[in-house]
Amino acid sequence: MALAIFDLDDTLIDGDCASLWSEHMATLGWVDGESFIAKDHQLMALYAEGKLAMEDYMSFSLSPLVGRTPEEVAFVVEPFVEDVIEPIFYSDATRCLATHREAGDRILIISASAYFLVSAIAERLKVDEVLAIDLHEEYGHYSGKTEGVLTYREGKVTRLHAWLEEHGETLEGAYFYSDSRNDLPLLQRVDNPHAVNPDPVLREHAEREGWPILSWR
């Protein structure tokens, strides 16, 4: 039995859940749609180039949640996941998850999106274990701030090592599936790295290292 780790956005799903959530907040009237979505696209372009400061994106994307309770947000996230995210699950991804389950592997999703989104999506994928960006609360309401180490770039490695220690796991024989150059720090630490629909930088690295390159649809 090994650990099978999966990135979420553009790996298990055909899209980015945070950007799709931004669009959904516009439909809910929580943000000014035109300006908010334009800013989201600007920041996500930096992410694609490996230049994004995740703290900047989280400060921006969490601002509409300030003063809202986790229960209020969860109430609208559940139908969002059902209506928007579930239809864009990659079929190849769900088959890969099933293969790891049949092998008895322990499955973990680790994502640079907010925990409330990632955990709701993971539940639909029948994955119980998640590492994502944790949100700070004040008096039972979201404050717009994050907590702890962000699961982004080297932060994924830091959070994963803490999780491994907590759960008595190791990376021996571990798999990691990702689409992004931003996940190279973690891909380089597992025995079985897989590049899924990789961006140009990750594709070049995978080809040079002889890593499997998967085209999931």
Side-chain angles (χ1 to χ4, degrees):
M1 184 178 77
L3 185 63
I5 310 166
F6 292 82
D7 176 47
L8 174 60
D9 300 312
D10 295 309
T11 300
L12 292 173
I13 65 173
D14 184 12
D16 184 277
C17 69
S19 288
L20 292 168
W21 171 246
S22 292
E23 294 174 8
H24 191 67
M25 287 193 291
T27 68
L28 294 171
W30 289 9
V31 298
D32 175 81
E34 185 175 352
S35 63
F36 195 85
I37 292 171
K39 180 67 172 179
D40 184 274
H41 289 171
Q42 177 187 352
L43 291 170
M44 291 308 297
L46 292 174
Y47 173 85
E49 296 171 2
K51 299 177 181 178
L52 177 67
M54 185 55 68
E55 294 81 1
D56 292 344
Y57 185 81
M58 295 309 297
S59 176
F60 158 76
S61 65
L62 295 179
S63 59
L65 304 188
V66 174
R68 301 184 190 275
T69 66
E71 293 77 15
E72 178 186 0
V73 175
F75 182 77
V76 296
V77 166
E78 184 174 349
F80 162 74
V81 171
E82 181 176 358
D83 296 340
V84 178
I85 301 298
E86 193 165 355
I88 60 173
F89 288 162
Y90 282 128
S91 297
D92 292 320
T94 58
R95 283 192 286 270
C96 184
L97 287 166
T99 297
H100 280 290
R101 287 193 186 96
E102 290 167 5
D105 295 333
R106 189 169 187 174
I107 298 172
L108 171 69
I109 293 175
I110 182 165
S111 170
S113 293
Y115 184 85
F116 73 88
L117 285 173
V118 181
S119 59
I121 297 167
E123 184 177 353
R124 290 277 173 172
L125 289 166
K126 297 181 172 56
V127 175
D128 297 326
E129 298 186 283
V130 166
L131 288 173
I133 294 179
D134 296 321
L135 306 190
H136 179 256
E137 296 177 30
E138 290 180 351
Y139 306 108
H141 298 75
Y142 286 130
S143 67
K145 301 175 183 177
T146 60
E147 282 191 338
V149 176
L150 304 186
T151 42
Y152 178 57
R153 293 182 181 164
E154 291 80 3
K156 283 192 176 183
V157 178
T158 300
R159 290 283 304 278
L160 177 61
H161 278 300
W163 183 91
L164 293 169
E165 184 174 349
E166 177 184 354
H167 292 272
E169 288 282 357
T170 73
L171 286 179
E172 183 177 355
Y175 296 76
F176 182 37
Y177 299 84
S178 176
D179 71 294
S180 176
R181 71 187 74 186
N182 292 299
D183 282 335
L184 278 168
L186 183 49
L187 284 162
Q188 291 169 327
R189 284 169 171 78
V190 299
D191 291 337
N192 296 290
H194 288 70
V196 178
N197 302 337
D199 66 34
V201 171
L202 177 54
R203 178 177 291 277
E204 180 181 355
H205 190 95
E207 289 174 347
R208 185 168 63 250
E209 296 295 327
W211 295 350
I213 298 175
L214 307 177
S215 297
W216 281 358
R217 297 292 181 264

